[in-house]
Amino acid sequence: IDEADSILLDEATVPLILAAAADETQSVAFERAMLMAQTLRRGRDYTIDAGQRRADLNDEGRAAVSAAVQALSGDKGLLRPARRAHELVAAALSARHALQRDRDYTVHDAKLALIDEVTGRIADGRQWTGPLQAMVELKEGLAPSPATRVSAQITYQRFFPRYLRVGGMSGTLAEARRELRVLYDGRVQRVPLAKADRRQWLGERLFADTSSRDAALVERVRRVVALGRPVLVGTDSVAASVRLSQALRTAGIDNQLLNASQDAHEAECIARAGCSGVVTVATNIAGRGTDIVLDAAARAAGGLHVVATMRNRSRRIDRQLIGRA
């Protein structure tokens, strides 16, 4: 397994799903639930769990939804029983308030594409389960995907131990050795570096707000580029990468952008990222599968300068970015 810690741990609870076609009339219920969600108020009727990126109805919200269903004219069966209506409205609220475009998903060719949180790349073939996918599509004004129902599912954590032997590699397995031992009875063997590590850690800087941090980043990049070194700036979302790329351009610093929206040009961007004076702004670059090769001028100037603009939820993701230096 390539990037074994990412697959076996970070995505351990991601389900592999077999889906079958479902009743197409569900789309009417989705639209009604989305309209109901617009009438509810945060705090009074529902709460947002930012960590789980989910909205939850409270007692007042459930009562309001039940009353709205009773007030509907025409067929109410699509929103019965009450638990079904509550589930759909909670999904609509999650789509409207908990999930963000260019962080959790993007839109390509009038279609919704989920973004892998670990790699920052488009997660081909992946969809949200239940009504959430359709709700986000309605939010973005897209045609809802064909309705499906889950026939069978299994998580990665239960799937991989079914193999007789499981092995993998990653540059950041050492700190995950305890989890891998408990979950998969797997042991970690460290492979020595082929050459001595010459990476230099320049410490951390903290800022009171995003604008102050962005201004400091622009100045740092300006100084490093003047030395002839290439620079890689890591961000945690598509939106942040676009904002920083624009801030650099406004300051007169040309740069190339690598995020879920530019996946098709990934190899080209990586090929240039090690050239002297080239600035690359990228979402989490773990798992991109391509070395950043330095040209002679960049190597003579001191190598690739990496700037992490935030701390990720997983320390391993931070290390994967830092490891590009």
Side-chain angles (χ1 to χ4, degrees), residues 91-105:
L93 290 168
S94 297
R96 286 174 56 83
H97 305 295
L99 297 173
Q100 296 179 15
R101 182 168 177 170
D102 290 337
R103 184 193 70 184
D104 305 301
Y105 65 91

Side-chain angles (χ1 to χ4, degrees), residues 53-68:
R53 297 176 184 173
R54 183 187 70 211
D56 295 304
L57 288 170
N58 55 27
D59 291 341
E60 290 79 1
R62 284 187 284 271
V65 171
S66 297

